[in-house]
């Protein structure tokens, strides 16, 4: 399995902190956001390689980080520059995934995650679930706030955790389970991204491909066992700093 990390955004809502510095490399406690995520994955010994796809503006920061990280975890860490330099000409998450796969030639099973979230639980449970199901899988959590559901991906699933509907930012959600940006794709499913884009799959939201895929094959959902802290603005960044300080 390869771990692909989405880190090509410009985090404009976190200016001035991220005007000239990438959000995933901001410190939370004694480590960067990205270190928290990668160290957890590395502890499971499931990934035999990591790929960080970023933009041209921030690529040198990630190259410096990757040089140190692969020495720490003893696993290759590749950084891919998608060539964009502003928020206005970004490729979008789905096209970034495709670009990274084309640049690296990876044809393995993929664990894909956004590089700007902090979790208070291990991802090992999700990876175990995905391997037991033998299908592509997404993570989810219950969300009762309608305004939040309208800004994210929302799914419904049956008693076997098989996804029965998947919507991006629905005005009237069919369910109450939100999908954060953590996905496990079988190699054969990851190879269908070009097909999805040709059929009109959205390119910006990372969950758009998972939504498309769920209409083509079996996709299961794993309910998170803890909390996820989405660092989207200065208030949320300061909030997660306080949470970790209290632990």
């Amino acid at each position: 399995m390869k771990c692909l990390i989405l880190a090509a955004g410009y985090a404009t809502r976190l200016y001035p902190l991220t005007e000239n510095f990438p959000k995933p490399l901001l410190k939370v406690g004694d480590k960067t956001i990205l270190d928290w995520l990668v160290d957890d994955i590395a502890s499971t010994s499931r990934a035999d390689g990591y790929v960080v796809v970023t933009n041209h503006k921030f690529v040198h920061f990630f190259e410096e980080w990757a040089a140190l990280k692969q020495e720490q975890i003893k696993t290759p860490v590749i950084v891919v520059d998608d060539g964009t330099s502003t928020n206005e000409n970004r490729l979008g998450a789905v096209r970034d995934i495709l670009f990274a796969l084309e640049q690296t030639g990876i044809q393995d099973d993929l664990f894909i995650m956004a590089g700007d979230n902090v979790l208070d639980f291990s991802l090992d449970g999700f990876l175990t679930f995905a391997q037991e199901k033998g299908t592509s899988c997404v993570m989810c959590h219950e969300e009762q706030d309608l305004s939040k559901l309208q800004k994210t991906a929302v799914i419904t699933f049956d008693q076997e955790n098989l996804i029965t509907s998947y919507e991006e930012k629905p005005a009237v959600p069919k369910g109450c389970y939100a999908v954060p940006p953590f996905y496990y794709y079988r190699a054969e499913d990851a190879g269908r991204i070009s097909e999805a884009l040709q059929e009109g799959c959205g390119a910006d939201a990372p969950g758009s491909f998972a939504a498309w895929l769920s209409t083509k094959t079996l996709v299961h959902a794993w309910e998170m066992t803890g909390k996820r802290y989405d660092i989207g603005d200065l208030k949320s960044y300061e909030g997660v700093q306080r949470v970790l300080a209290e632990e």
Side-chain angles (χ1 to χ4, degrees):
M1 179 192 84
K2 297 294 188 296
C3 178
L4 176 58
I5 300 158
L6 300 171
Y10 292 87
T12 56
R13 289 188 296 151
L14 264 169
Y15 281 12
L17 285 180
T18 55
E19 190 166 6
N20 293 296
F21 191 79
K23 178 166 61 167
L25 296 183
L26 291 175
K27 284 287 191 73
V28 173
D30 61 349
K31 297 197 291 189
T32 69
I33 299 168
L34 193 49
D35 281 318
W36 283 107
L37 292 167
V38 171
D39 288 350
D40 176 50
I41 297 296
S43 72
T44 71
S45 300
R46 295 179 185 271
D48 58 7
Y50 297 81
V51 177
V52 179
V53 57
T54 186
N55 54 58
H56 189 66
K57 181 177 180 180
F58 293 142
V59 65
H60 65 285
F61 291 107
F62 287 103
E63 288 173 340
E64 292 175 1
W65 171 86
L68 294 173
K69 180 53 64 175
Q70 65 182 359
E71 286 298 316
Q72 294 173 1
I73 63 175
K74 307 303 179 186
T75 307
V77 182
I78 299 170
V79 177
V80 175
D81 178 358
D82 74 0
T84 71
S85 55
T86 68
N87 193 53
E88 288 67 37
N89 69 4
R90 66 188 186 277
L91 296 183
V94 177
R95 287 202 178 94
D96 267 321
I97 295 168
L98 178 60
F99 181 80
L101 296 182
E102 290 175 341
Q103 291 296 303
T104 60
I106 290 173
Q107 297 181 352
D108 304 46
D109 289 352
L110 280 180
F111 173 58
I112 299 178
M113 62 181 179
D116 58 357
N117 292 256
V118 174
L119 308 175
D120 70 357
F121 61 95
S122 175
L123 289 161
D124 188 53
F126 175 53
L127 297 175
T128 298
F129 173 87
Q131 292 181 353
E132 289 175 349
K133 288 295 184 182
T135 67
S136 292
C137 296
V138 303
M139 280 177 26
C140 68
H141 63 88
E142 190 170 1
E143 177 56 70
Q144 296 298 335
D145 187 328
L146 176 61
S147 64
K148 291 182 178 179
L149 289 171
Q150 292 172 330
K151 296 176 183 178
T152 188
V154 180
I155 59 172
T156 58
F157 51 88
D158 64 19
Q159 293 182 340
E160 301 300 320
N161 293 90
L162 179 66
I163 292 176
T164 52
S165 70
Y166 199 134
E167 305 170 284
E168 277 288 343
K169 301 180 180 180
V172 183
K174 294 179 182 177
C176 61
Y177 282 90
V179 182
F182 296 85
Y183 319 92
Y184 184 94
Y185 294 123
R186 299 181 305 161
E188 54 265 44
D189 292 339
R192 302 184 69 178
I193 296 177
S194 290
E195 176 189 351
L197 290 169
Q198 290 170 5
E199 289 192 3
C201 170
D204 195 41
S208 296
F209 175 63
W212 177 89
L213 187 65
S214 70
T215 68
K216 306 293 183 179
T217 188
L218 302 180
V219 180
H220 287 87
W222 179 78
E223 190 169 355
M224 289 163 38
T225 56
K227 294 182 179 179
R228 160 189 170 247
Y229 301 94
D230 178 15
I231 301 172
D233 53 25
L234 288 169
K235 183 178 179 180
S236 57
Y237 179 51
E238 292 167 354
V240 74
Q241 294 274 36
R242 286 194 298 272
V243 169
L244 263 69
E246 293 169 359
E247 293 182 353

